Amino acid sequence: MKKLILISFNLLLAVYSWTQGCVAIRNVAGISPDLLFENIQPNDKLILNVTNRYFEASSTFRGDKFITDTLVTNRIYTLNISVLRILNNGWSLGLSVPVSANSRNNGGDHKGFGTLPRYTTRSFGLGDIRFTVYKWLLDPAVNKKGNIQASLGLKFPTGDFRYQDYFTRNDSTKVLAPVDQSIQLGDGGTGITAELSAFYSLNKTINIFVHGYYLINPREQNGVSNLKGRNATPPEIINNITVMSVPDQYSFRGGANLQFQKIVLTVDLRYEKVPVKDIIGGNKGFRRPASITSVEHGVTYKMKKTLVFVNIGLPFKRNIIQNTENNMTPAGFADYLVSFGAQFKL
């Protein structure tokens, strides 16, 4: 029973992916803990989770005010593969490996802000790998209806944070330079992740869960140019935004599941943020501090050794914090987010 309960939150926490629009935020997605609690047997040793995530960000905001849906379009697809190894005495280990295919279409990165036609830059490859150690805080044998779990992990800079593509300056000139921060494959920093989660079964049908995640990035800047092949302006030099920052990120998620035999319906609220200031380290460099609040709906189908799921997130509050460090620029956000995948018992 200890192993059965332990698995429940581990797999939920192991799944994550990059970005939402122009704002680089790491989001948690996947199968909820109470569902895993019922599906996985005590003798299971290894769990594989495969999650796909896609969104198109074309709604531009300045502050929390919508501007237009024509300035920039980011398309982000991430395949995340996570493996969980169950150990004794309430411990387990998780490894999460993302691969992304991203694109950014606009005119501002090329010929200037608000210009036409629009051009596309792309990135593809391995993202930042995360290794996490989990520990169940309450005795699983006694607390069968609910429990609390804490974790501590490392995020490694395995994703190419210097990814380059061509930017069009005029009809005959292109320059090769690092792509926008929003579609970079990694942030260039070795980060520390901390998580705390809980779930409780109200009855045979309704279960509730919460989850908090914080990524601490001690590195201040990653040395990669934010200028897209242009020369720095005096304000950019004064505000220290000629190179990219390595910002902290955090998210909170809470919701409920309704179970009807093999079908499970999920609804939850998600809050995500890139803060203006980091907990550890300096804050110089270009970042887009912002917050996103979303409602997420999902459906999961249970089989003997496999769970398949689809989640759709709908952001209803978006805010790009305006300050000199982000050069008072607007940012693009998604109007929807789709994640789908499967969990396998090996």
Side-chain angles (χ1 to χ4, degrees):
M1 181 59 70
K2 289 184 178 181
K3 294 180 180 179
L4 174 63
I5 299 177
L6 178 63
I7 294 172
S8 62
F9 266 114
N10 285 343
L11 196 52
L12 172 72
L13 304 182
V15 184
Y16 70 98
S17 60
W18 270 102
T19 73
Q20 189 167 105
C22 291
V23 184
I25 293 179
R26 198 172 300 275
N27 296 295
V28 178
I31 297 169
S32 61
D34 55 297
L35 182 57
L36 291 169
F37 176 84
E38 296 179 359
N39 183 64
I40 300 175
Q41 301 304 312
N43 292 328
D44 292 330
K45 301 290 186 180
L46 196 64
I47 310 299
L48 172 66
N49 201 59
V50 179
T51 299
N52 302 272
R53 192 162 185 262
Y54 174 80
F55 63 85
E56 179 178 305
S58 59
S59 295
T60 303
F61 284 72
R62 178 176 281 113
D64 60 357
K65 305 299 182 183
F66 172 77
I67 299 176
T68 180
D69 59 1
T70 60
L71 290 180
V72 59
T73 299
N74 284 1
R75 294 181 175 89
I76 309 294
Y77 168 74
T78 302
L79 167 66
N80 192 88
I81 301 173
S82 62
V83 178
L84 185 73
R85 180 69 171 91
I86 306 303
L87 304 177
N88 297 323
N89 301 319
W91 294 91
S92 62
L93 304 176
L95 182 68
S96 185
V97 181
V99 177
S100 293
N102 308 323
S103 69
R104 177 176 171 88
N105 178 264
N106 72 340
D109 292 348
H110 300 266
K111 294 184 178 181
F113 183 77
T115 61
L116 293 173
R118 299 176 6 155
Y119 302 88
T120 299
T121 49
R122 295 180 172 86
S123 62
F124 173 78
L126 178 68
D128 286 349
I129 293 174
R130 184 159 68 105
F131 175 78
T132 309
V133 178
Y134 301 94
K135 180 68 171 92
W136 208 254
L137 300 184
L138 303 178
D139 185 356
V142 177
N143 300 276
K144 298 180 180 180
K145 294 185 65 176
N147 214 313
I148 304 170
Q149 188 181 62
S151 75
L152 194 64
L154 289 176
K155 180 195 69 66
F156 300 99
T158 53
D160 186 356
F161 57 97
R162 303 183 182 92
Y163 201 98
Q164 294 184 324
D165 202 353
Y166 286 95
F167 293 85
T168 300
R169 292 290 172 258
N170 54 53
D171 293 341
S172 60
T173 303
K174 294 183 178 181
V175 295
L176 182 65
V179 298
D180 188 81
Q181 187 180 61
S182 62
I183 63 170
Q184 285 289 348
L185 300 175
D187 59 22
T190 298
I192 303 168
T193 63
E195 301 174 64
L196 189 66
S197 304
F199 84 97
Y200 187 78
S201 298
L202 298 178
N203 52 49
K204 293 183 178 180
T205 302
I206 303 175
N207 305 312
I208 58 175
F209 60 89
V210 294
H211 170 248
Y213 168 93
Y214 201 103
L215 168 62
I216 301 171
N217 265 322
R219 187 176 186 181
E220 183 177 29
Q221 302 173 72
N222 61 18
V224 178
S225 172
N226 180 52
L227 302 176
K228 302 176 177 66
R230 296 190 178 94
N231 294 323
T233 64
E236 289 172 329
I237 296 174
I238 293 172
N239 295 322
N240 297 295
I241 57 173
T242 59
V243 298
M244 297 181 191
S245 173
V246 186
D248 287 1
Q249 304 164 21
Y250 64 87
S251 68
F252 299 98
R253 182 189 183 203
N257 278 332
L258 301 176
Q259 301 198 42
F260 305 97
Q261 296 181 348
K262 293 185 178 182
I263 302 294
V264 180
L265 304 179
T266 302
V267 61
D268 64 76
L269 288 175
R270 186 195 305 273
Y271 179 79
E272 304 158 295
K273 189 171 184 177
V274 171
V276 176
K277 297 184 181 297
D278 295 344
I279 291 179
I280 301 174
N283 305 297
K284 294 180 181 179
F286 180 82
R287 72 173 71 190
R288 292 186 178 94
S291 63
I292 304 167
T293 308
S294 307
V295 60
E296 188 175 59
H297 305 84
V299 58
T300 301
Y301 184 75
K302 301 188 295 184
M303 292 174 277
K304 185 176 181 180
K305 290 189 176 182
T306 305
L307 299 176
V308 294
F309 69 91
V310 176
N311 294 327
I312 299 178
L314 302 173
F316 62 87
K317 184 174 178 58
R318 291 153 282 191
N319 181 25
I320 172 70
I321 300 170
Q322 297 293 281
N323 55 29
T324 54
E325 283 73 22
N326 69 12
N327 204 27
M328 303 299 287
T329 58
F333 293 90
D335 290 322
Y336 67 92
L337 183 150
V338 178
S339 61
F340 59 95
Q343 173 242 301
F344 305 93
K345 297 189 291 184
L346 303 180

